[in-house]
Amino acid sequence: MKTILHVEGLKKTFKLSKKQQKIEKTKQKLKVAVNGISFDAYEGEIFGLLGPNGAGKTTTLRMLSTLIKPDEGDALVDGFSIVKQPEEVRARIGFLTSELKLEDYFTPNYLYDFFSDLHNVPKDVRDERKKELFERFEIDKFAEVKVANLSTGMKQKVSLVISIVHDPDIIIFDEPTNGLDILTAKVVTDFLIELKNSGKSIIVSTHIFSLVEKICDRVGIIIDGKLVVCEKLDTFLNGMNLEDRFFQLYEETVGGLHE
Amino acid sequence: MNKILAIVKKELFRFLTDKKLMLTTVLLPGLMIYGIYSFMGDGMANMLGTDEDYKPIVAVYNLPEDLNTRFKLLYMEQTDVSNLSLDKAKEEIAAQTLDLVVYFPEDFSKKIEEKSGLPEIEIYYNSVNNESAKIYQFVANTLTTYEDSLANAFTMNSKGETYDLASDEDMSAMIYSMMLPMLLLMFVYSGCISVAPESIAGEKERGTIATLLVTPMKRSDLALGKVISLSVVALMSGVSSFLGTMLSLPKLMGSEIEGMSAAVYSMMDYFLLFLIVISAVLLLTAVISIISAWTSSVKEASTAVSPLMIVVMLIGVSSMMLTGERMSTLFYLIPVYNLVLCMNGIFSFSYELSQIFVALGMNLVVTAILVVILTKMFNSEKIMFSK
């Protein structure tokens, strides 16, 4: 199995404001969001990053997509360093998170073409892919409606389609089904499985257990900025269901839920 | 290169297809300026002007023989005063039914001849009545000339020729070179602030810039694309205001200067002016883009750019104090101020081509440096993702 993503010792800290220091009763000026995470993801698998809110999942993915720079450590995406070759990395990944918004003024059709240009997609390839993706996600009927007037779910579908205009080999999705109704969520999860079957590598972060159980091949569990487990889903579960196994692990690591 | 073009195309599409925005930033400024200046000019002309055909009615008492001819030459009608007492005439002046009363003492000629004492001529007029004020001036002038001729030492400007030799060109040059550099600079600045905060701080605020930042585009392409496209829109706004001013300034000044016109400048002058304006737009757009990138919302950006407006205005006003003396080329190296110098030079026909190119070159260099800074800002997560 080819390693498509190699993460080594990623660390990211944020500055705390004076007020926040008081709330947390700490004199430390820095909050460690991600504390030395290392893992590998392989070609053609879906790797799930699972963890509670605030554990550092999104920060990790933002570093992998080169939106922010790690304080320490590095990661190689298809052999390219996120620190030294961010443009190469960006050309190879599709990144989707709720933080990335689309401009209200434009139509899905216009934005698709615009982002295709930014990704150097040739015109004929672009048009063919657009037709396919718009049909698949039922955007075709809304192709000329301004983003401002689209429903939340439709906006998210357009965002998803636009994040993969360049047909990337590595796809990084932060909470891919958040805020979607079950029908749309199913369209998205089915699509992820289909992408995997066509040989793409996918990294998703989520706090939704059922999603992990349904689609992930391997799973990494982040608690308080540290990766506590990283292995095959089956190996990790060891016959238990994911929820029970997670609580067991959480108690082992943090020591009980209500402390 | 392709990506810069893609950004420029998208930004232009954003602004040029937005009818409301086009109306408020491009069409309205020019129309409003033209309308207001023309209206002000007409108003002033009406206030100060008089009816050309009107013949003022003047009551003259005891007109001396010597002055008869001189008074006949004045464009006025002498009314019969045999039945009009002086007091009654004064009342009529106040009521604006009579325009002027000239009262010579009965022994005026005698006193003049004998040179005994100073005879007093009383002229009553009504300053609210434009016709009255005007004929008062004429009569007073006539009498002064008469007084001078009695002394007979010398005469001055009495032949009735045009003694003011300033040409229309010079007049236009003076007015334009005083007013336009400041106005143009302000128009360009307000063009810039109506689009740059929206496009940069706005994208930050709405989170749409992050979507751009995850594409494999160079940050410098984004910075350049933004500055170029915003400059185009700001330029359109600036040109609209400029046309409005150029066309209506003669009307505004028309009441004082005849023959003032924007046509006194050659195509070359306008071409140079256009280059100056383009460099102004690029420079100011880059500055405002940086301020916008540094703030986190459109509102914050608009607040942050207003102190700069005052600085720009002050620099603009300095054009009124330029004496027309040629400045050292060193001054042409000061960004923004060199714009004022160049424009002043062009409008007053006293520029040196080499100095204009020094200014253009300098501004281009500064703009390039600012674009590099903007690129660095787009690269900085602290600046791009701070809220």
Side-chain angles (χ1 to χ4, degrees):
Chain A
M1 254 190 307
K2 189 188 161 196
T3 306
I4 196 105
L5 174 68
H6 175 71
V7 181
E8 197 161 310
L10 275 190
K11 192 171 175 183
K12 185 74 189 175
T13 51
F14 293 108
K15 282 208 177 84
L16 281 182
S17 65
K18 282 255 154 60
K19 279 183 184 165
Q20 193 58 36
Q21 283 178 34
K22 262 187 197 156
I23 293 171
E24 294 190 12
K25 290 183 183 139
T26 168
K27 285 247 165 87
Q28 282 180 322
K29 285 204 177 112
L30 294 173
K31 162 100 181 166
V32 181
V34 174
N35 195 357
I37 283 182
S38 307
F39 66 90
D40 283 338
Y42 304 112
E43 192 169 35
E45 69 169 9
I46 299 185
F47 182 88
L49 273 178
L50 186 67
N53 292 327
K57 303 184 299 284
T58 300
T59 308
T60 306
L61 294 190
R62 286 175 78 189
M63 284 191 278
L64 293 181
S65 64
T66 77
L67 263 186
I68 58 176
K69 295 180 190 79
D71 298 340
E72 282 173 34
D74 198 350
L76 297 179
V77 177
D78 203 8
F80 293 97
S81 157
I82 58 164
V83 181
K84 295 179 200 111
Q85 299 151 296
E87 271 156 38
E88 298 290 340
V89 171
R90 286 198 287 269
R92 282 163 179 81
I93 59 164
F95 180 52
L96 182 71
T97 159
S98 58
E99 178 190 27
L100 303 181
K101 302 270 168 47
L102 296 174
E103 276 188 81
D104 279 349
Y105 186 79
F106 296 97
T107 62
N109 191 22
Y110 189 94
L111 286 170
Y112 188 95
D113 292 354
F114 171 61
F115 281 97
S116 296
D117 284 347
L118 293 186
H119 280 285
N120 292 329
V121 181
K123 200 171 173 295
D124 45 337
V125 180
R126 176 191 83 190
D127 289 343
E128 199 179 311
R129 245 179 96 68
K130 179 163 69 177
K131 192 165 176 281
E132 206 180 291
L133 286 168
F134 274 24
E135 265 171 29
R136 155 119 216 181
F137 288 97
E138 293 163 343
I139 302 170
D140 41 2
K141 279 168 260 157
F142 301 92
E144 293 301 339
V145 177
K146 284 187 180 181
V147 170
N149 300 327
L150 294 176
S151 68
T152 317
M154 187 53 74
K155 270 185 201 165
Q156 199 147 338
K157 284 198 277 187
V158 174
S159 288
L160 187 150
V161 165
I162 280 177
S163 69
I164 53 169
V165 286
H166 52 310
D167 198 12
D169 286 334
I170 303 151
I171 293 151
I172 303 178
F173 278 178
D174 183 21
E175 310 278 8
T177 56
N178 249 19
L180 296 179
D181 64 64
I182 47 164
L183 289 174
T184 322
K186 184 165 163 46
V187 174
V188 173
T189 47
D190 286 353
F191 184 63
L192 287 177
I193 291 168
E194 197 185 300
L195 284 174
K196 173 194 141 177
N197 291 339
S198 67
K200 311 279 181 194
S201 319
I202 298 159
I203 321 285
V204 293
S205 85
T206 186
H207 56 258
I208 301 167
F209 292 102
S210 59
L211 182 71
V212 176
E213 277 176 319
K214 201 184 291 169
I215 64 171
C216 290
D217 299 303
R218 289 193 321 127
V219 62
I221 296 189
I222 300 186
I223 294 170
D224 277 346
K226 282 187 182 148
L227 193 72
V228 288
V229 163
C230 178
E231 55 195 355
K232 281 206 158 178
L233 186 63
D234 298 338
T235 321
F236 173 62
L237 290 179
N238 199 16
M240 294 170 79
N241 80 35
L242 183 58
E243 212 173 311
D244 295 340
R245 181 69 185 92
F246 178 78
F247 286 134
Q248 189 185 28
L249 177 75
Y250 194 84
E251 261 173 64
E252 282 167 18
T253 325
V254 186
L257 282 179
H258 302 290
E259 253 183 70
Chain B
M1 206 54 216
N2 282 337
K3 289 175 188 170
I4 300 179
L5 208 69
I7 295 281
V8 170
K9 252 169 56 191
K10 184 210 101 184
E11 291 289 322
L12 287 185
F13 181 86
R14 162 76 187 83
F15 286 115
L16 300 189
T17 58
D18 190 336
K19 288 193 192 97
K20 227 188 281 171
L21 201 125
M22 276 291 110
L23 185 75
T24 53
T25 61
V26 177
L27 211 55
L28 274 185
L31 282 178
M32 295 260 289
I33 287 168
Y34 182 81
I36 290 172
Y37 282 10
S38 303
F39 180 75
M40 274 167 60
D42 285 351
M44 276 201 283
N46 279 339
M47 228 161 63
L48 301 172
T50 48
D51 190 347
E52 297 279 316
D53 296 331
Y54 179 79
K55 214 170 188 178
I57 306 164
V58 182
V60 185
Y61 293 87
N62 311 319
L63 181 69
E65 281 295 313
D66 282 0
L67 276 163
N68 215 341
T69 345
R70 285 177 197 265
F71 267 50
K72 283 229 171 83
L73 285 175
L74 289 173
Y75 188 72
M76 62 184 199
E77 193 186 314
Q78 291 194 32
T79 178
D80 183 16
V81 292
S82 47
N83 290 323
L84 188 67
S85 73
L86 184 59
D87 289 336
K88 185 88 179 36
K90 281 199 231 171
E91 274 169 35
E92 280 192 32
I93 296 266
Q96 300 192 18
T97 50
L98 189 66
D99 294 309
L100 198 75
V101 169
V102 189
Y103 190 86
F104 293 91
E106 277 168 36
D107 52 356
F108 182 84
S109 302
K110 203 176 144 210
K111 273 191 174 169
I112 295 282
E113 259 165 52
E114 292 170 3
K115 295 207 165 85
S116 55
L118 292 170
E120 168 93 8
I121 308 167
E122 289 168 299
I123 310 175
Y124 298 97
Y125 66 105
N126 186 337
S127 64
V128 174
N129 179 350
N130 284 340
E131 275 77 18
S132 173
K134 197 170 159 192
I135 192 66
Y136 168 72
Q137 277 299 328
F138 283 133
V139 169
N141 285 343
T142 307
L143 291 172
T144 316
T145 334
Y146 175 64
E147 192 185 19
D148 289 346
S149 75
L150 290 177
N152 238 346
F154 60 87
T155 59
M156 190 182 81
N157 280 3
S158 62
K159 287 188 193 152
E161 285 180 26
T162 309
Y163 291 96
D164 182 358
L165 298 180
S167 63
D168 294 350
E169 261 196 14
D170 294 338
M171 282 297 191
S172 306
M174 193 185 74
I175 300 290
Y176 278 133
S177 66
M178 266 173 60
M179 311 271 294
L180 279 183
M182 179 191 71
L183 289 176
L184 256 178
L185 209 54
M186 278 171 53
F187 296 151
V188 168
Y189 190 84
S190 52
C192 293
I193 56 173
S194 56
V195 286
E198 158 64 26
S199 170
I200 293 180
E203 283 223 36
K204 245 180 98 176
E205 186 179 4
R206 295 187 294 269
T208 53
I209 206 152
T211 321
L212 287 176
L213 293 177
V214 289
T215 64
M217 169 183 45
K218 286 204 193 82
R219 303 320 198 210
S220 56
D221 288 358
L222 180 61
L224 256 179
K226 285 269 185 195
V227 169
I228 293 173
S229 50
L230 294 176
S231 294
V232 171
V233 183
L235 184 69
M236 288 170 65
S237 168
V239 165
S240 148
S241 308
F242 176 68
L243 284 180
T245 315
M246 252 345 225
L247 296 176
S248 59
L249 212 53
K251 280 196 177 180
L252 181 64
M253 299 291 165
S255 55
E256 287 160 36
I257 299 162
E258 278 178 29
M260 179 175 177
S261 139
V264 298
Y265 300 104
S266 68
M267 282 311 284
M268 179 66 179
D269 294 334
Y270 279 111
F271 176 69
L272 285 175
L273 188 68
F274 191 63
L275 289 184
I276 299 285
V277 169
I278 288 183
S279 89
V281 167
L282 285 169
L283 185 66
L284 291 175
T285 306
V287 172
I288 296 168
S289 297
I290 285 179
I291 296 176
S292 306
W294 170 67
T295 57
S296 54
S297 71
V298 179
K299 206 178 154 204
E300 222 182 292
S302 324
T303 317
V305 295
S306 43
L308 196 65
M309 176 81 164
I310 298 169
V311 177
V312 169
M313 263 173 73
L314 278 180
I315 297 176
V317 167
S318 71
S319 74
M320 293 194 173
M321 295 157 206
L322 291 175
T323 52
E325 238 173 83
R326 182 95 13 105
M327 309 275 280
S328 145
T329 306
L330 279 181
F331 284 100
Y332 286 78
L333 289 174
I334 309 171
V336 186
Y337 184 61
N338 60 16
L339 296 167
V340 176
L341 289 179
C342 288
M343 287 192 270
N344 193 281
I346 291 173
F347 284 122
S348 59
F349 306 106
S350 64
Y351 61 85
E352 214 171 278
L353 216 50
S354 63
Q355 290 186 327
I356 289 194
F357 284 120
V358 166
L360 287 175
M362 186 65 201
N363 288 345
L364 216 56
V365 169
V366 175
T367 307
I369 294 171
L370 292 174
V371 170
V372 171
I373 294 175
L374 190 62
T375 305
K376 294 244 186 269
M377 292 175 89
F378 282 146
N379 244 327
S380 156
E381 60 183 72
K382 270 206 196 78
I383 291 170
M384 293 327 288
F385 300 109
S386 68
K387 285 275 157 94

